[in-house]
Amino acid sequence: MNPSDVQTTTYRTPSGVTVHRNATPCDPEVLTDLVSSVEYRRGGVLSSGMEYPGRYDRWHLGYVDPCLEVSTRGRRVTASALNDRGRVLLPVLAGALDAVPGAAEREQGADHVAITVPEPDPDAFFTEEERSRRPSVFTALRSVVAALRSPEDTNLGLYGAFGYDLAFQFEPVQRHIDRDPADRDMVLHLPDAIVVRDRKRETCVRYTYEFTVPADGDRPEATTEGLPRRSEPTPPVVAAEVPPGPQPGSYAEIVAEAKKKFRRGDLFEVVPGHRTYARCSSPARFYELLRERNPAPYEFFFNLGEGEYLVGASPEMFVRVSGEPGTGQRVETCPISGTIRRGEDALGDAENIQELLSSVKEKSELTMCTDVDRNDKSRVCEPGSVKVIGRRQIEMYSRLIHTVDHIEGTLRRDFDALDAFLTHMWAVTVTGAPKTWAMRFIEQHETSPRRWYGGAVGVINFDGSMNTGLTLRTAHIRDGVAAVRVGATLLYDSDPEAEERETFLKARALLETLALGEEAARAEAGGADPETEGTVAQAAPVPAGLPGEGMRVLLVDHEDSFVNTLADYVRRHGAQVTTVRYGFDPELLDRLAPDLVVLSPGPGLPVDFAMSDLLDALAARRLPVFGVCLGLQGMVEHAGGELRTLDEPVHGKPGRVRVLGGRLLAGTGEDGVFPAARYHSTYSTRDLVKNFEVTAVLEGGTGQEPLVMAIEDPDARWYAVQFHPESILTASVGEGIVSRVLELARG
């Protein structure tokens, strides 16, 4: 190698660490050797086997023998030095952890430092916009990243896995499944040598790092220069007896239970899972076979230490953040929902694609996922920046065909990549909607902890970017046994037996590949819509004049998965929005003095949220109110009306709304009719509504009295709609309705 080929860069981090980076061209075969090494030593390999313009490029990177590890068990955060190089950097991480507000139970040894992040004060008030900044292990992670932050390097960062249970530090969900307290919820590595292959530019570069830590008090300056890049090997993989898989019919029973929840309106969709098992004597061989047989956007192989490996070929991006922090970074996700098996050939594929695109159920699944995903972004993104840039696009895998949406937003300048990560945790495609209630159902009906399934793998870069994939199509390997968890997206329309079959179809690619790997090991040992619908209509531009300018809006969240998109719509029109979960002290109304109170949609019934008490408080203060879906139902009951339950719930499906009069919907739609998204099990009809004017109904009805779609009391300035104006299915009129609400609230 010519010394002139080596490129050297030096920079300094906020904590005073001087970083020297050498970039050296290398042979791509280095990555093949690295995969073999990761079977026996801590490390990771990530690759992308898909090329999709504007979304995915093919790339490959890997590392072995990282110098440091950050792991968590519950709220306990531990930074561990894995070799002498890590011991040089450990004081920097110790300082970052010491800076975590309220850090408790500090423990430090020669090779580690640990703290406990305290639970948030139960009496502390916070808005929904501030939820991602509540004390959690991510508070500690943010401090570590800040200590090593630099815009100079796009590869240096923390690589690893994020477990499903981390969500419970963001959303309150009671545990029903026993956990092993020794299980880790997060394992992240800091590598100091990374091989990166760009398959588009046909380059392969090895980046090596040296760190110099400045003197501090009695501690002298220290450097990693000259220290070996080697850590202790992990225990060898020894195959063990494979436990039995799930009982036939057990998943179908969960589907039947979910359908009861859909009928009541507690859930719109939910994604429970179950585990199958297979033998795995070589995670490295399995990874290479899986990449060859099932190319995916997120292919990965991690040796997490302590006998744990993750190998997967995930089809779905979790959160990707790009751009410089504080300048409006781009946030992307690609929710997948809608599945059909591959055909026998290209003609069979084409027939199945047509069937998939023509399925009302599959379209509803993806619609709900996208509506929830837009909501997740709206919590932390600039008003009006969240857009669907790809709708029901087809992605092909070895056994399956999926429909995929592509969504982007612009991160608000006071938020970072970890805020984006937290607000999406975990993706609706692995939980359901409303997300919190779906996670409660999963916790009550699955029989074992999810561990890594449904979480994420990837990298948090020290330049402020992030690239993570969902932990799907993944084998969690321990003691020579691979556990493969799979689930299906359930709706009211779901057929229990068909959904159970789908879960086994999804597991098939991994189980077959595991079997092939074991056959190879034995051989080595000498043994035997018709067409796509095009671009989705985006929300109409905000009209000039910003009707909400100068207004304060209080948005009451009923544990709903669309509330942040609703908040975003209101912010687009100039209003200041504060979002608070139901159950707050009415004194808050006097303190915030809102010009409008918006009652969000939500699962369940108004009584589940004591909505009548809140409406009493709002009426006593003569505050304008706008109710959406559950909000309308609560207002109907509060005024003495009645609610009934649909024979079949309607979740994520379009309906046609006919305007009868009133102020809120005047001029909306063509000839007073417009399409709108419906998510409800509970309804009212004109004869059941008291003390409100019914100003819109569902066109067509049910053969009886049409369902109420909008009500008004203009004297009180109380307005409500049964449909969801913030959904993509209501995109043509949704923003106009929100604009009109703000105008009416001004009086």
Side-chain angles (χ1 to χ4, degrees), residues 627-644:
V628 178
C629 198
L630 182 74
L632 176 143
Q633 296 158 17
M635 293 165 72
V636 166
E637 277 197 328
H638 182 261
E642 295 180 36
L643 301 175
R644 303 232 170 117

Side-chain angles (χ1 to χ4, degrees), residues 414-427:
D414 51 336
F415 287 123
D416 59 21
L418 287 176
D419 292 302
F421 187 95
L422 282 162
T423 195
H424 288 85
M425 201 165 64
W426 287 115

Side-chain angles (χ1 to χ4, degrees), residues 13-32:
T13 73
S15 58
V17 177
T18 301
V19 181
H20 302 277
R21 182 191 68 199
N22 288 330
T24 309
C26 63
D27 190 312
E29 287 302 312
V30 169
L31 282 163
T32 303

Side-chain angles (χ1 to χ4, degrees), residues 331-351:
V331 183
E332 294 175 82
T333 52
C334 295
I336 292 178
S337 199
T339 302
I340 198 167
R341 68 173 64 240
R342 291 289 301 266
E344 294 297 323
D345 52 24
L347 295 178
D349 281 343
E351 290 179 2

Side-chain angles (χ1 to χ4, degrees), residues 293 421 557:
R293 290 169 50 83
F421 187 95
D557 176 14

Side-chain angles (χ1 to χ4, degrees), residues 357-359 363 391-392 529-537 729:
L357 291 174
S358 301
S359 169
K363 182 178 180 181
R391 173 64 169 161
R392 297 197 83 195
D529 267 93
E531 297 183 353
T532 56
E533 300 173 46
T535 305
V536 172
L729 297 180

